Amino acid sequence: LKVPDANHFEALPVTVERAVRQKRAERQSRMLSHAVMSISDSIYICDAQDRIIFVNAAFCRTYGYTEREILGECSVVLTTAELGSRAPSKIPYSVDGLTIYNRRKGGEQFAVSLNRSVVRDEAGNIKNVVGVVRDMTELKSLETERERLWEQLRQSQKLEALGILAGGIAHDFNNMLGSI
């Protein structure tokens, strides 16, 4: 506010500093928003009642839901009925690398690695739960392929050992026939 006879030049450094801080905060907010939206892991944020309030683009690709379809839903919609003792109510708010099965929109089950963290307010109450989910489908198929290849290697090693044994027996038999 312009006040007659006030020295406006004294307030100028404070105003400029405030504007610079605001621009820096806006730039940092845009950078963080872009990073979260372009990361390859699925990220979701739930409120204190376990309702999904934010998902990134990778979440929509992985689970098959549109943002409009999933926002407001309870996070239980992502889990499978076969969890048993690891039902959503039994999974702690803070977990690191817990492997569970989730369900895509079409009902297909897939393995995920779940990391969850709690965001608390100033009073220490739970405000949000942030979940980072990594789809383990490709990793599981690679592990299956690796096991198959190891089994083939073990089988070929057995056949190689059998071949060496048979060759040794044939050599000894040939030596006996040669002396006869």
Side-chain angles (χ1 to χ4, degrees):
L1 297 174
K2 291 187 178 182
V3 179
D5 300 327
N7 189 356
H8 297 290
F9 291 111
E10 290 176 6
L12 185 62
V14 173
T15 305
V16 169
E17 183 180 333
R18 184 180 312 130
V20 168
R21 275 196 316 261
Q22 182 177 0
K23 278 293 190 189
R24 192 176 297 139
E26 288 172 3
R27 188 173 40 245
Q28 185 178 18
S29 176
R30 279 193 308 273
M31 178 189 67
L32 288 173
S33 175
H34 182 68
V36 166
M37 290 306 284
S38 60
I39 196 167
S40 62
D41 289 341
S42 300
I43 298 174
Y44 67 92
I45 300 175
C46 293
D47 60 13
Q49 289 74 38
D50 202 30
R51 299 273 177 216
I52 298 172
I53 59 172
F54 171 82
V55 294
N56 68 348
F59 181 96
C60 294
R61 282 190 308 272
T62 300
Y63 286 91
Y65 290 99
T66 64
E67 189 175 344
R68 180 175 280 171
E69 290 173 323
I70 198 67
L71 292 183
E73 293 292 326
C74 186
S75 69
V76 174
V77 75
L78 306 174
T79 60
T80 63
E82 287 77 24
L83 281 174
S85 64
R86 288 192 171 173
S89 60
K90 308 246 187 213
I91 297 175
Y93 279 129
S94 296
V95 296
D96 189 26
L98 177 66
T99 300
I100 61 171
Y101 285 91
N102 274 183
R103 185 176 56 216
R104 298 187 204 280
K105 181 180 178 181
E108 174 193 357
Q109 290 185 21
F110 66 107
V112 298
S113 175
L114 174 65
N115 296 301
R116 290 198 328 184
S117 300
V118 174
V119 177
R120 297 184 183 275
D121 61 12
E122 295 80 23
N125 300 320
I126 294 175
K127 184 175 179 183
N128 298 105
V129 177
V130 179
V132 179
V133 179
R134 178 166 289 165
D135 186 352
M136 304 297 281
T137 305
E138 186 176 328
L139 182 64
K140 292 285 185 186
S141 66
L142 289 174
E143 286 176 3
T144 304
E145 178 67 13
R146 186 181 71 180
E147 285 299 317
R148 188 184 67 76
L149 290 173
W150 272 111
E151 186 56 40
Q152 283 182 348
L153 176 64
R154 284 191 288 274
Q155 190 68 22
S156 67
Q157 288 173 338
K158 289 177 191 178
L159 288 174
E160 180 185 9
L162 187 60
I164 291 171
L165 178 65
I169 292 171
H171 181 68
D172 288 345
F173 187 67
N174 190 29
N175 286 343
M176 285 192 270
L177 285 177
S179 59
I180 292 175

